[in-house]
Amino acid sequence: MSDYAAHEALQTAYVLMDSYGSYVGEHPCVEANPDIAAKVEKVMVAMMDVYQSIGRVHLVEDQEVGFGEPVGKEVL
């Protein structure tokens, strides 16, 4: 897999997470209903997990990133 493919997946995950958070998470209907808001939050946590996982593959796997941070450390 090319580095570009991982970068593209990372960017797409971010865009979807941002859109979902803005358009669904911040919707008045969701904010007014705690049960729905809790479900939306679960989805957001899962989306962040996917984003972090892609980021690890793209930015961390088989190398050190940034200021000597060890491989596998959450850096995003």
Side-chain angles (χ1 to χ4, degrees), residues 20-66:
Y20 185 80
S22 294
Y23 292 103
V24 178
E26 296 175 10
H27 194 280
C29 176
V30 172
E31 291 179 338
N33 188 316
D35 183 52
I36 294 172
K39 291 175 182 177
V40 168
E41 180 66 22
K42 284 183 180 182
V43 171
M44 288 299 295
V45 168
M47 292 175 93
M48 179 56 80
D49 185 47
V50 169
Y51 178 79
Q52 291 289 337
S53 296
I54 295 168
R56 267 187 227 94
V57 168
H58 178 50
L59 301 173
V60 180
E61 197 171 82
D62 298 327
Q63 62 185 336
E64 288 191 357
V65 175

Side-chain angles (χ1 to χ4, degrees), residues 2-29:
S2 72
D3 284 343
Y4 181 75
H7 177 79
E8 184 178 40
L10 185 67
Q11 174 66 17
T12 302
Y14 174 80
V15 168
L16 291 173
M17 190 172 52
D18 186 54
S19 292
Y20 185 80
S22 294
Y23 292 103
V24 178
E26 296 175 10
H27 194 280
C29 176

